[in-house]
Structure formats: C-alpha cells, structure tokens
Amino acid sequence: MVGWYRDTVETLYGEEQIAARVRELGAAISRDYHDKDLVLLCVLKGSVLFAADLARAIDIPLRLEFLGVQSYGDDIKSSGVVQITLDLTRPIEGEHVLVVEDIVDTGLTLDYILSTLKTRNPASVRVCSLLHKPARMKKQVPIDYLGFTIDDVFVVGYGLDWAQKYRNLPEIGVVKGT
Ligand code: IMP
Ligand code: MG
C-alpha cells in the first residue's frame, strides 16, 4: 500500500508488529477465559479496529458489545468529563466483561467507564488496552492486558484519531511536527 498519510505520519508500530502483539494478547485472553462466558466490550470509536482484530485472535466463544463514550476536551486533551453516547444492548450482570480500549492516557475515561460498569454487577471486569502513556496518568486504573507502553507523544492510526482524522491508518504513528 502506498499510504496517503506517509508524508505526514511517522510510523511507530507497523502492521506486522501490531498483528503480532494482537495475536499474543488474544492467546493470553483465550487461556484466561476458556472456562468463562466472555463479553468483549469495545469502547467506541477508538477501539473499533483493535477490537475487531482482537476478537478474531481470541479462540473461545464470546459476546461482542459496544459502549460509545465521548470525553470532552480539546482535540488532544481529555477533560475527564465523559458522556455515554451508546449503551450496551444487554445487561452484563453475572458476566465476565473485558473492556477493550485504544489508549489509556490520563486514565480518567477508563476510570469513569469502570465505575459505571461496576454498578451493573458483572461477575468481573478487566481491561485490555492497546496503548498506555504512563507519563500522563492521573487516575490509577488497572490494565490487565496491554499492547504497548508509549512515551508522552500524541499518536494516530489503527482507530486513534486527531480531530476524527487518521482512524483508518493500518499502523500507529505520530503526526510529524507535533
Ligand atoms: P484519558 O481519559 O486521558 O485516558 O484518554 C482517553 C481518550 O483520549 C482515549 O480513549 C483517546 O480517545 C484519547 N487519546 C488520548 N491520548 C491519545 C493519543 O495519543 N492519540 C489519540 N487519542 C488519544
Ligand atoms: Mg478519541
């Protein structure tokens, strides 16, 4: 693929590297949940590409759910004020929920999601995040399965956006000059 974005985005993790890590995460999740009913909860919009690949790397039955959240702030900073824009289609009471996130930055969004989910009495809630930026963590949130730890840079691609752009890049990168 030529890549319309190659002039503006510097690759951090290429397609092969992402695919290899997703396979490893899928294998670990399959092992850990082989005797449980798993609900894979994709947090929209950022996690959609990751969750689609991860679901195919998980070799046990699962139920796929979506939670739409929007965190207010400017284009690159989250304020921690989170609004649910799309809710689950079924209750999760007594079920084992794995929240799939694109990135944990300050942790504020995930903290809000976890406290909301816990009020619905699931049997367990764990987190699988593709990326983690520990430098900016404000809320300590548990990440049970993690793709990559990154420095304090703003990344795009593979679901992650900058003002809604770049989500469809097949790789993860940094916008040049930012
Ligand atoms: P947090 O609440 O600060 O942890 O941020 C959560 C959300 O901010 C993520 O789900 C992303 O949508 C967005 N975000 C944080 N860092 C980045 C980044 O480097 N690139 C794109 N989106 C980001
Ligand atoms: Mg976002």
Side-chain angles (χ1 to χ4, degrees), residues 78 101-109 133 153-155 160-161:
S78 123
E101 262 288 23
D102 52 353
I103 186 165
V104 178
D105 183 17
T106 62
L108 295 170
T109 305
K133 253 189 238 179
V153 287
F154 194 81
V155 291
L160 290 138
D161 73 302

Side-chain angles (χ1 to χ4, degrees), residues 64 109 126 145 152-153 155-156 165 173 177:
L64 195 54
T109 305
R126 282 184 178 174
Y145 304 92
D152 187 6
V153 287
V155 291
V156 296
K165 217 176 140 192

Side-chain angles (χ1 to χ4, degrees), residues 45-46 71 75 102-103 154 159-162 164 167:
K45 299 175 188 164
S71 62
D75 285 345
D102 52 353
I103 186 165
F154 194 81
L160 290 138
D161 73 302
W162 182 16
Q164 300 303 320
R167 287 198 202 274

Side-chain angles (χ1 to χ4, degrees), residues 2 7 12-13 28 34 39-40 49 62 69 81 91 94 101 105 108-109 128-129 136 138 150 161-162 174:
V2 178
D7 290 343
L12 197 57
Y13 297 106
H34 74 275
V39 177
L40 198 67
L49 303 197
L62 58 79
V69 301
V81 181
E101 262 288 23
D105 183 17
L108 295 170
T109 305
C128 177
S129 184
R136 294 174 28 96
K138 277 192 194 152
I150 62 169
D161 73 302
W162 182 16
V174 179

Side-chain angles (χ1 to χ4, degrees), residues 129-147:
S129 184
L130 177 64
L131 301 169
H132 178 34
K133 253 189 238 179
R136 294 174 28 96
M137 200 95 164
K138 277 192 194 152
K139 272 270 183 206
Q140 287 303 319
V141 280
I143 304 175
D144 303 279
Y145 304 92
L146 176 63

